[in-house]
Amino acid sequence: MVRPFAVTRGRASRDLYDLDILTLVVTVRPDTEAVALDPEYARILQMCRGRPLTIAEIAADLSLLMAVVKVLVSDLVSSGHVIFRSPTKSVGRPDVQLLQAVLDGVRNI
């Protein structure tokens, strides 16, 4: 087992893109460029080719912490290998009526 800090070369939470666990990642460069990359990077590129995956799915498939995957994906974004789309952030407070309806629905189960 490789320690997380070894995979990220000691980097954590610095110079990262705003990646959420639901952020979708998709590969945009050809597989031929993945040959020169570390195995974790190459695996992410392979996984995200042809279909977007979330940060959570990538972390689960690689058996790595999400913080580690965020560092790796940020590196791939910086190098132009992948693009990402984060979910929109809600502004303001949640709808109290919606929350109450969900609570009532759960209680009825």
Side-chain angles (χ1 to χ4, degrees):
M1 179 177 152
V2 178
R3 297 265 187 211
F5 64 85
V7 174
T8 63
R9 294 181 180 98
R11 293 170 296 127
S13 303
R14 292 185 319 219
D15 304 323
L16 298 181
Y17 290 89
D18 187 22
L19 303 174
D20 185 83
I21 64 170
L22 298 177
T23 296
L24 292 172
V25 180
V26 67
T27 301
V28 293
R29 287 233 182 128
D31 285 338
T32 56
E33 296 185 22
V35 175
L37 298 175
D38 290 344
E40 293 82 11
Y41 292 115
R43 181 73 179 117
I44 292 171
L45 293 177
Q46 178 187 19
M47 290 168 47
C48 297
R49 176 143 327 278
R51 69 182 177 114
L53 291 177
T54 64
I55 296 290
E57 291 171 312
I58 296 167
D61 193 40
L62 293 176
S63 298
L64 290 173
L65 299 172
M66 278 193 277
V68 172
V69 171
K70 287 180 181 182
V71 171
L72 298 176
V73 169
S74 289
D75 290 346
L76 290 171
V77 170
S78 294
S79 66
H81 285 90
V82 300
I83 56 174
F84 71 95
R85 178 100 190 208
S86 292
T88 57
K89 307 255 190 236
S90 62
V91 179
R93 298 178 53 172
D95 183 4
V96 176
Q97 290 176 334
L98 175 62
L99 293 175
Q100 187 61 51
V102 170
L103 181 61
D104 293 342
V106 169
R107 286 183 178 152
N108 289 332
I109 294 179

